[in-house]
């Protein structure tokens, strides 16, 4: 039996076949759109990777981490130096106050 000998399809069967063909076309169009978007995304990722030295984002991250660590260390050292300077300044101020009191005391005694 060949296709020409097959009985004609019912209208319902023909409608089902048309719906399947339309669905297949929709699915193929959706797949084509997804493939296009995936290729764009892959190109974007490749372009981003090229933005890093030697295409290595991990070493770029480590570089920034070392810069941040250095700045934190520098800030701690400056803060500690300022605290020490303030302490030394306070000690110096106390020394000058003691000297002024001593001088005033001597002046009172010498009267």
């Amino acid at each position: 039996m060949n296709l020409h000998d097959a009985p004609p399809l019912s209208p319902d069967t023909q409608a089902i076949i048309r719906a399947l063909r339309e669905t297949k076309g929709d699915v193929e169009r959706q797949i084509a759109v997804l493939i296009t978007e995936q290729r764009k995304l892959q190109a974007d990722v490749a372009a981003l990777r090229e933005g890093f030295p030697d295409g290595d984002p991990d070493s770029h991250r480590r570089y920034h981490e070392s810069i941040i660590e250095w700045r934190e260390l520098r800030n701690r050292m400056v803060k500690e130096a300022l605290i020490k300077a303030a302490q030394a300044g306070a000690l110096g101020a106390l020394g000058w106050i003691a000297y002024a009191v001593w001088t005033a005391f001597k002046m009172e005694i010498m009267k």
Side-chain angles (χ1 to χ4, degrees):
M1 181 169 179
N2 61 35
L3 289 177
H4 299 294
D5 295 337
L9 300 174
S10 71
D12 290 339
T13 303
Q14 290 175 5
I16 291 170
I17 291 172
R18 273 194 307 278
L20 287 173
R21 286 183 179 146
E22 289 173 10
T23 301
K24 179 184 175 193
D26 288 343
V27 169
E28 287 173 348
R29 282 189 291 280
Q30 290 173 352
I31 290 172
V33 167
L34 288 174
I35 289 171
T36 301
E37 291 300 318
Q38 183 182 24
R39 286 183 179 143
K40 287 179 186 176
L41 183 59
Q42 287 173 333
D44 289 346
V45 168
L48 284 172
R49 185 172 291 279
E50 288 174 12
F52 292 103
D54 299 324
D56 187 3
D58 288 333
S59 76
H60 187 74
R61 178 187 46 79
R62 286 191 304 273
Y63 166 77
H64 280 286
E65 287 172 348
S66 71
I67 295 296
I68 291 167
E69 185 178 336
W70 164 247
R71 286 185 179 164
E72 288 173 349
L73 174 62
R74 182 198 61 196
N75 290 345
R76 271 196 313 272
M77 291 172 61
V78 168
K79 182 179 176 182
E80 289 173 10
L82 290 173
I83 289 170
K84 294 290 183 188
Q87 289 171 346
L91 185 60
L94 285 175
W96 277 107
I97 291 171
Y99 175 73
V101 169
W102 175 252
T103 303
F105 178 71
K106 282 190 341 183
M107 291 172 75
E108 287 295 319
I109 293 178
M110 297 287 219
K111 274 187 180 178

